[in-house]
Every structure is written in C-alpha cells, then in structure tokens.
Amino acid sequence: MPRFQAVLFDFFGTLTRCVQRGSAHRTIAELLGCSVDTLIDVLDRSYYQRASGRFGNAEATLRWVCGQAGVHPSDEAVRAAVASRHRAVRADTRLRAEAVPVLAALRRQGVRTGLISDCTHELPAFLPQLAVAPLLDVRIFSVQVGRCKPDPALYLAACHRLDLTPADCLYVGDGGSQELTGAERAGMTAVRLAAPDLAGHMVFNADHGWHGPVLTSLTEVLDLLEPVAVG
C-alpha cells in the first residue's frame, strides 16, 4: 500500500463498538406520547433525511418525527425529549478499547486523522466530551454538510480541510451507508472493519457489493502504513 498521509474513520461501529438502541430510548417515546415501536419505525425510515439535516435543528427534527408518529406533544415535552435523546444516543456510544491507542499511534507517526460520520445532531454535540476528540484533525458530520455517504462531498470535505488529495488518504469503516464504495469512488483507498462484535450492529444501507481488504481489529490499521524512516 502507498504511504498514506491521513487515515479517515467512520464513527459508529468503527471507532465505537456495535451500536444498538438501548432502553433509554423508551423515555423519549414516553415523553412524546407514542409507543416505542412507532418511534423506532419513524426513526428508521427517516434516518438519511434526519442525518442530512433536512428538518432543521434537533428540536425541529423531533417535531417532524412527532408529526410522522401522529402525536402532538407540548413544547416542554419536545424539549425534554431532545435532551433525553441526546442522553440515549450518548449511552449507546461505547468507544472501542483500541480507538484511542490507534489514533495516538497514528499521530506519533506523523499521520493525520479524521472522522467522517453519517449522524444526527447528537454526535457533534457530545463528541468533544469523548477521549478520541483531541486526536482527530478533522471532523465531518453529515448533518452539518447536508449530505450522507456515499456522496463524495463528505470525503472531499475532509481532504479539503486537511489540504490533501483523496489518494493521500486511507478510509476505514464498517461498511454502512455504502461508505467504502463511496470512499473509493472519491479516490481513496478503503478497508472494511469487520470486528466480531459488529454482527449485531445497527446499520443502514450496508455496502454488500464491496469486496476489498478486511480488518478484524482497529489495531490492524497500523500494519497498513509504511514505517516512517528514522533519521
């Protein structure tokens, strides 16, 4: 493989362990006055619309969800549900044990790092609180860009902020949102993380047509980089 100047990571299922909606989401449904099943159905079928920021900020987005669910909660209830959803998504987010060591090792080697994530409003809000935050040179969130993977705009935005070409970058992801195909089409080298825990991972639009290199641990990313020459 070539000498990469940056490694760009997906977030959910890549820097984190598998994600499933936990019990905290029940509180959101109760606050909004709908069943959990109804809420989950609306969230699932509107994921890419919400992750592209189509309905405005977090409160406006949840009001749209309420309309789809056929409920009309008070303004106070909606605000409480927004806060509850933030806590629920944060509770579902568990960094991989190797995430911080791998990012730190890359930076010690002079390799820049970045994040490209399809996400709703919660991740940009709580990412600064996570241990990986100071180890990321660039953060690209779909909800802020207004597009979702595999749209090349997300990958190219990361390159632009790093002042690198796509060929300079290695992309690592679990394969949701056809992100690996998207990274390759944008001109990057892509590898799939297929860690054992991802068998139960919540994923949308999986990259079933991609058959490139596969890693079973984030630590294997370090093996894909040429060693830095020592003076």
Side-chain angles (χ1 to χ4, degrees):
M1 288 206 173
R3 166 70 177 150
F4 297 108
Q5 296 187 48
V7 181
L8 304 172
F9 295 88
D10 170 49
F11 185 71
F12 295 109
T14 302
L15 292 180
T16 79
R17 294 183 57 78
C18 75
V19 175
Q20 294 179 323
R21 290 194 181 100
S23 59
H25 291 268
R26 183 173 300 277
T27 302
I28 304 168
E30 292 171 353
L31 287 166
L32 298 178
C34 63
S35 71
V36 173
D37 288 345
T38 297
L39 175 63
I40 298 274
D41 175 66
V42 175
L43 292 178
D44 282 352
R45 60 184 166 84
S46 66
Y47 176 70
Y48 287 110
Q49 294 169 295
R50 294 182 296 106
S52 61
R54 181 171 301 182
F55 306 117
N57 64 19
E59 186 172 327
T61 299
L62 202 52
R63 288 185 184 282
W64 180 88
V65 168
C66 289
Q68 296 295 301
V71 293
H72 305 282
S74 67
D75 291 347
E76 182 180 2
V78 171
R79 287 192 292 270
V82 168
S84 182
R85 177 166 164 78
H86 178 102
R87 291 190 296 270
V89 176
R90 175 67 184 88
D92 295 341
T93 302
R94 300 168 297 151
L95 290 176
R96 293 190 179 280
E98 62 270 31
V100 167
V102 167
L103 288 170
L106 290 170
R107 288 166 69 94
R108 284 195 300 271
Q109 292 185 31
V111 177
R112 303 179 74 184
T113 61
L115 173 72
I116 302 177
S117 179
D118 277 355
C119 62
T120 47
H121 294 282
E122 296 75 26
L123 178 58
F126 69 69
L127 181 71
Q129 304 162 19
L130 303 184
V132 295
L135 299 172
L136 295 167
D137 294 302
V138 64
R139 310 167 191 179
I140 304 297
F141 302 112
S142 65
V143 73
Q144 295 177 349
V145 175
R147 312 245 184 115
C148 291
K149 303 171 193 173
D151 194 303
L154 281 83
Y155 308 95
L156 297 179
C159 293
H160 177 73
R161 294 187 192 179
L162 292 170
D163 196 23
L164 296 173
T165 69
D168 294 325
C169 302
L170 174 67
Y171 182 83
V172 183
D174 65 274
S177 299
Q178 297 188 23
E179 62 185 351
L180 305 173
T181 300
E184 288 193 332
R185 287 175 179 166
M188 297 178 180
T189 297
V191 295
R192 179 184 173 213
L193 178 67
D197 67 287
L198 292 176
H201 183 52
M202 182 176 68
V203 64
F204 298 96
N205 195 21
D207 218 337
H208 295 302
W210 188 86
H211 302 290
V214 175
L215 312 179
T216 58
S217 169
L218 270 185
T219 58
E220 295 173 28
V221 171
L222 302 176
D223 298 330
L224 301 179
L225 305 176
E226 292 181 4
V228 177
V230 178

